[in-house]
């Protein structure tokens, strides 16, 4: 009975982790539609405004079936405080028209998942997380920042894993001298701090890069910095697997070395490698955030989780609006938790399958 309860708990954790990761992937793919406004557009009359208050009850105390907001105006320009103007209600709807953007970078559209239905100039904008000091919508910038980070980090992890797995299987199946040489280079890479490697490689390029160029550069840097760890793990797994009966039987029947590696050994060591790959993604996400926070990652006006977090260094704003300013850190925390839950589930399933085979 206890074993069954433990198994159900593990499955629920795995499903929860998969759901979190899937949610972030959906946000990254449909960022332009989920974001209600263009992340570059500045509202000069709404600098550093708090989040909008979504209401269901009007000033006459009657219930509304559709949520709405009131327009706002600055009450104290020095303290940047706002007050609502309740003379007109502006209803909120789903799939409304708004700022034009390119869906997946290919198709131009003005459709957004939610927003204020009224598109007139007097209509206020729905600010789920308020605006920054330049009047840009923080929620729209956060969604687009998630898209950049969740494209760069997994692609960097994938490329690092491909390089590391190839180096590892070659080293593990090669002769002793070749193995010593390859692992010497790998150990040299492992001895260097990853963040220092990333900063040194990034410093060789100009600071101002387009989002596409910055993304390609980040993926390349992450692959360069991350392949050694997965290579050493792969080598150890190959050394263990090549002494098993099915490999010895394949050698006895005259199967070639590359075929043994990619047809017999690699499929049997894939689960630990997948688990390790899922752990690399959060590390690269945090590294990308750190680079942008230090000012050497993606540059303004393009949003990233790092340069959004840099606004939290202003203590005056942080004390008044902690949730809005720390929302990038909350997103990172939730995503890392989701990846860890998913990785633990994959690891536990791998151990169960191994025990069943034995």
């Amino acid at each position: 009975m206890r074993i069954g309860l433990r198994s159900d708990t593990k499955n629920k954790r795995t499903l929860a982790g998969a759901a979190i990761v899937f949610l972030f992937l959906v946000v990254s793919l449909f960022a332009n539609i989920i974001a209600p406004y263009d992340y570059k557009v500045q509202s000069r009359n709404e600098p550093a405004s708090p989040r909008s208050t979504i209401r269901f009850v009007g000033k006459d105390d009657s219930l509304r079936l559709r949520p709405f907001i009131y327009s706002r105006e600055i009450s104290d320009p020095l303290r940047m405080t706002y007050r609502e103007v309740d003379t007109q209600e502006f209803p909120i709807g789903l799939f409304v028209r708004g700022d034009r953007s390119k869906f997946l970078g290919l198709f131009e559209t003005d459709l957004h998942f939610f927003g204020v239905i009224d598109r007139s100039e007097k209509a206020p904008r729905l600010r789920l997380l308020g605006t920054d000091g330049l009047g840009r919508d923080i929620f729209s910038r956060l969604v687009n920042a998630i898209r950049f980070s969740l494209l760069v980090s997994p692609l960097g992890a994938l490329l690092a894993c491909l390089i590391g797995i190839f180096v590892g299987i070659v080293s593990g199946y090669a002769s002793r001298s070749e193995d010593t040489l390859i692992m010497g280079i790998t150990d040299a890479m492992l001895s260097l701090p990853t963040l220092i490697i990333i900063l040194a490689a990034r410093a060789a390029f100009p600071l101002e890069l387009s989002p596409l160029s910055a993304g390609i550069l980040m993926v390349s840097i992450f692959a360069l910095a991350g392949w050694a760890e997965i290579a050493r793990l792969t080598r150890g797994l190959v050394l263990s697997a090549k002494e098993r009966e099915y490999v010895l039987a394949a050698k006895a029947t005259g199967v070639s070395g590359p075929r043994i590696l990619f047809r017999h050994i690699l499929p049997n060591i894939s689960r630990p490698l997948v688990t390790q790959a899922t752990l690399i993604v959060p590390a690269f996400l945090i590294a990308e955030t750190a680079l942008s926070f230090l000012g050497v990652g993606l540059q303004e006006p393009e949003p990233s989780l790092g340069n959004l977090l840099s606004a939290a260094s202003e203590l005056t704003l942080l004390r008044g609006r902690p949730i809005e300013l720390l929302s990038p850190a909350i997103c990172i925390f939730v995503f890392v938790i989701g990846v860890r839950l998913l990785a633990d589930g994959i690891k536990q399933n791998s151990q169960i399958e191994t025990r069943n085979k034995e």
Side-chain angles (χ1 to χ4, degrees), residues 105-327:
L106 300 174
F107 309 105
E108 190 168 325
T109 179
D110 62 351
L111 185 67
H112 297 271
F113 182 61
F114 64 90
V116 177
I117 297 176
D118 191 347
R119 297 184 60 188
S120 62
E121 294 184 0
K122 65 178 181 179
R125 294 200 162 196
L126 176 60
R127 309 296 190 184
L128 292 183
L129 295 175
T131 63
D132 61 11
L134 298 177
R136 298 174 298 188
D137 186 64
I138 293 179
F139 180 78
S140 298
R141 292 182 63 78
L142 177 63
V143 170
N144 283 274
I146 291 174
R147 177 180 62 179
F148 178 81
S149 297
L150 292 191
L151 287 177
V152 168
S153 303
L155 286 177
L158 177 62
L159 186 57
C161 289
L162 291 176
I163 297 173
I165 290 171
F166 178 77
V167 172
I169 60 177
V170 170
S171 178
Y173 206 77
S175 63
R176 179 170 297 182
S177 59
E178 293 172 343
D179 179 35
T180 301
L181 176 62
I182 295 174
M183 282 299 102
I185 298 173
T186 303
D187 290 339
M189 289 294 299
L190 284 173
S191 65
L192 298 174
T194 303
L195 187 58
I196 299 300
I197 297 175
I198 295 174
L199 288 173
R202 180 64 182 88
F205 295 87
L207 290 179
E208 296 184 3
L209 294 172
S210 65
L212 178 60
S213 300
I216 294 174
L217 177 60
M218 290 291 182
V219 169
S220 302
I221 292 175
F222 291 157
L224 176 65
W227 68 267
E229 185 175 356
I230 196 76
R232 176 157 283 282
L233 173 63
T234 305
R235 172 186 175 270
L237 294 172
V238 171
L239 289 175
S240 175
K242 73 178 185 179
E243 301 299 330
R244 293 183 177 271
E245 291 80 2
Y246 64 88
V247 176
L248 298 177
K251 289 181 180 179
T253 57
V255 179
S256 62
R259 185 177 179 83
I260 292 175
L261 280 173
F262 294 99
R263 185 67 181 272
H264 299 281
I265 294 179
L266 188 58
N268 285 280
I269 65 173
S270 59
R271 285 190 176 273
L273 297 178
V274 171
T275 303
Q276 183 63 27
T278 56
L279 297 178
I280 291 177
V281 174
F284 286 172
L285 174 64
I286 294 173
E288 186 276 326
T289 303
L291 286 174
S292 299
F293 183 83
L294 295 173
V296 293
L298 194 64
Q299 301 296 307
E300 290 279 2
E302 301 298 330
S304 69
L305 295 176
N307 58 33
L308 288 179
L309 273 176
S310 63
S313 60
E314 300 181 15
L315 294 179
T316 303
L317 294 176
L318 182 60
R319 290 170 182 170
R321 303 166 55 194
I323 301 299
E324 293 92 328
L325 295 181
L326 293 178
S327 55

Side-chain angles (χ1 to χ4, degrees), residues 2 10 40 59 64 92 146 196 251 262 281 300 329 333 338:
R2 290 182 180 178
K10 292 175 182 177
K40 293 182 181 179
K59 63 180 181 179
R64 305 288 190 268
I92 300 169
I146 291 174
I196 299 300
K251 289 181 180 179
F262 294 99
V281 174
E300 290 279 2
F333 175 77

Side-chain angles (χ1 to χ4, degrees), residues 63-82:
L63 182 65
R64 305 288 190 268
L65 296 179
R66 185 188 295 273
F68 67 92
I69 62 173
Y70 290 124
S71 61
R72 296 181 299 185
E73 61 182 11
I74 298 178
S75 58
D76 189 344
L78 295 179
R79 297 181 179 180
M80 299 306 296
T81 56
Y82 289 78

